[in-house]
Amino acid sequence: MKWQALVDNRQRFFWVLQIAGWIGYALVNYIGSKVFEMRDIYVFVIVLNAYAGCLMTVPLRYLYRIIWNSKPWVLIVVVFSSSYITGTLWSVIQKFNLWEIYRHGYRPTEWFYYFQQGLDSVYIILCWSGLYFGIKYYQLLQSERQKALKANTMAHEAQLKMLRYQLNPHFLFNTLNAISTLILVEENKDANQMVSRLSDFLRYTLNTDPIKKVPLEQEIHALNLYLEIEKVRFDERLSIDVSMTEEAKHALVPSLLLQPLIENSIKYAIAHMTEGGKLEIKAQVFANELLLEVGDNGPGAEIENGKLLNASGVGIANTQDRLKTLYENNYSFALSHNTPNGLKVNIRVPYEKAESNE
């Protein structure tokens, strides 16, 4: 994280690379001086040359920033000409340092000797320029990549919110319709209980972040709030059996993942039974995966290749879309016939353990 913060701070990143690069240049020259058995005083020449090179390339940075958005031919001309001029001047300074320090004040007979054999310095400045542009383009590429990832994340979150919030009006419509029916038949006590439990359930849905995952134990608690509402409608016609392993209780799942599946079972199975309606919810962890199962003992439905034929509701499609958005291809969602009758939904997602609050 510290390195990323350094890279993001372009001003500081430039100076770190600038100083480190010229120190590296000085070290290479020092090693070379040992190979050619130069006198120890040559170290001062190396340090002064590296210091001069470091200072003389700084103006190039500001020049390149000015012409950054220019046409390619302008960039090429400016880079080569400025590198040539800077490299030549640096070569003059290097010769002056060598003759003044290492050769005790030696002066050439002709002034143009200062400018001879300066191509090596020009090549080094050209390399510096190439590195500058290369690192600059890399930073821009990384910046664009981060923007693209941020935009993709925002779109991803927006899609998840849309899918999660799609459940609320769908569920709310069904429940209010049931309350209306209870009022019409003058079962005011049951209607009042349903309104109270609906309030608790909606409070939970509004207080839960649609992006974040919740422990399965908390998800089952929310389901119980919903099922309490349905029990008012169906009374003895609805029984619920929940089976969870201790490890599965702490597994993270998308909030309200199972609610539309339970709602489908009640709407298309339990509602058509005169008695003995049963819902089963099972959860276990196996091979670092969370296995969820929701089943009913209703009349069943037509299934082909693990998919429901002639599906008209939003519950199953919504659940599959949310799983696809969250886990991409690292999940499974399959429907099958329950034993001895009914419908069963099996979901497999990666196991993620909720953090302990202790």
Side-chain angles (χ1 to χ4, degrees):
M1 295 299 289
K2 290 183 178 180
W3 170 253
Q4 187 61 44
L6 176 63
V7 173
D8 292 339
N9 188 329
R10 295 184 180 181
Q11 182 76 7
R12 186 179 300 175
F13 189 54
F14 168 80
W15 283 109
V16 168
L17 292 181
Q18 174 79 340
I19 294 171
W22 285 107
I23 289 175
Y25 167 83
L27 288 174
V28 170
N29 275 268
Y30 175 73
I31 294 171
S33 70
K34 291 299 182 182
V35 172
F36 292 103
E37 298 181 354
M38 305 293 285
R39 300 196 309 273
D40 291 341
I41 197 172
Y42 191 69
V43 173
F44 293 100
V45 177
I46 294 172
V47 172
L48 287 174
N49 290 344
Y51 181 68
C54 182
L55 291 181
M56 294 180 71
T57 49
V58 171
L60 292 179
R61 178 196 183 201
Y62 297 99
L63 174 63
Y64 294 159
R65 286 168 66 176
I66 294 172
I67 65 165
W68 182 259
N69 295 317
S70 301
K71 296 179 180 179
W73 69 267
V74 175
L75 283 174
I76 293 173
V77 170
V78 173
V79 168
F80 274 90
S81 58
S82 59
S83 296
Y84 180 80
I85 294 171
T86 304
T88 302
L89 293 176
W90 184 41
S91 175
V92 171
I93 293 174
Q94 289 182 81
K95 289 183 175 64
F96 179 81
N97 291 335
L98 177 67
W99 293 337
E100 186 68 28
I101 297 174
Y102 194 76
R103 295 188 179 180
H104 308 291
Y106 164 79
R107 294 290 185 275
T109 55
E110 300 291 342
W111 63 270
F112 60 83
Y113 286 154
Y114 281 98
F115 296 92
Q116 284 185 333
Q117 299 176 340
L119 283 180
D120 289 346
S121 299
V122 173
Y123 290 148
I124 291 173
I125 300 300
L126 274 174
C127 289
W128 184 95
S129 300
L131 284 171
Y132 175 84
F133 277 92
I135 293 170
K136 187 80 170 177
Y137 277 117
Y138 173 77
Q139 286 181 317
L140 286 176
L141 182 64
Q142 289 297 104
S143 177
E144 291 300 317
R145 185 180 178 186
Q146 288 178 356
K147 288 179 182 177
L149 286 173
K150 185 177 180 181
N152 185 57
T153 300
M154 290 175 67
H156 181 86
E157 291 181 355
Q159 183 181 7
L160 283 175
K161 287 181 179 180
M162 179 195 70
L163 290 169
R164 231 303 297 275
Y165 289 142
Q166 185 186 43
L167 299 177
N168 290 347
H170 182 249
F171 156 75
L172 191 59
F173 172 80
N174 291 339
T175 306
L176 290 177
N177 188 52
I179 293 172
S180 176
T181 303
L182 289 173
I183 293 173
L184 285 174
V185 298
E186 297 183 355
E187 295 186 12
N188 296 333
K189 183 179 179 181
D190 290 341
N192 185 56
Q193 287 181 355
M194 188 174 283
V195 169
S196 176
R197 288 162 183 170
L198 174 62
S199 174
D200 292 337
F201 181 75
L202 289 179
R203 186 180 295 110
Y204 171 82
T205 62
L206 292 173
N207 290 336
T208 305
D209 191 335
I211 300 300
K212 294 182 179 179
K213 298 172 185 175
V214 299
L216 182 60
E217 192 172 23
Q218 183 176 327
E219 171 75 355
I220 296 299
H221 173 71
L223 276 178
N224 285 330
L225 292 175
Y226 167 73
L227 289 170
E228 287 295 324
I229 297 171
E230 297 298 346
K231 279 184 179 179
V232 175
R233 291 173 57 198
F234 296 100
D235 198 16
E236 300 299 326
R237 291 163 54 197
L238 175 62
S239 65
I240 300 128
D241 181 16
V242 179
S243 174
M244 286 190 299
T245 63
E246 193 64 32
E247 192 176 14
K249 288 181 180 180
H250 305 288
L252 289 175
V253 295
S255 61
L256 297 183
L257 176 69
L258 301 179
Q259 189 269 339
L261 303 179
I262 298 295
E263 186 175 354
N264 268 11
S265 293
I266 291 174
K267 182 177 180 180
Y268 296 105
I270 308 301
H272 297 281
M273 301 177 67
T274 56
E275 60 180 12
K278 185 177 181 180
L279 285 175
E280 292 182 331
I281 303 171
K282 297 180 181 179
Q284 61 177 316
V285 177
F286 179 76
N288 207 33
E289 291 181 329
L290 176 65
L291 309 179
L292 298 170
E293 182 180 304
V294 176
D296 61 62
N297 64 341
E302 294 183 43
I303 299 172
E304 185 176 313
N305 297 325
K307 296 182 179 179
L308 192 64
L309 298 179
N310 303 319
S312 58
V314 300
I316 290 178
N318 181 288
T319 302
Q320 288 180 298
D321 286 343
R322 293 182 70 199
L323 290 171
K324 177 69 176 177
T325 305
L326 280 167
Y327 300 105
E328 295 183 351
N329 295 320
N330 192 21
Y331 78 97
S332 71
F333 183 95
L335 294 103
S336 59
H337 294 290
N338 206 358
T339 303
N341 55 356
L343 188 67
K344 181 167 62 176
V345 180
N346 291 96
I347 298 174
R348 174 190 58 79
V349 295
Y351 174 65
E352 301 174 75
K353 187 177 180 180
E355 294 183 3
S356 175
N357 294 325
E358 298 179 359

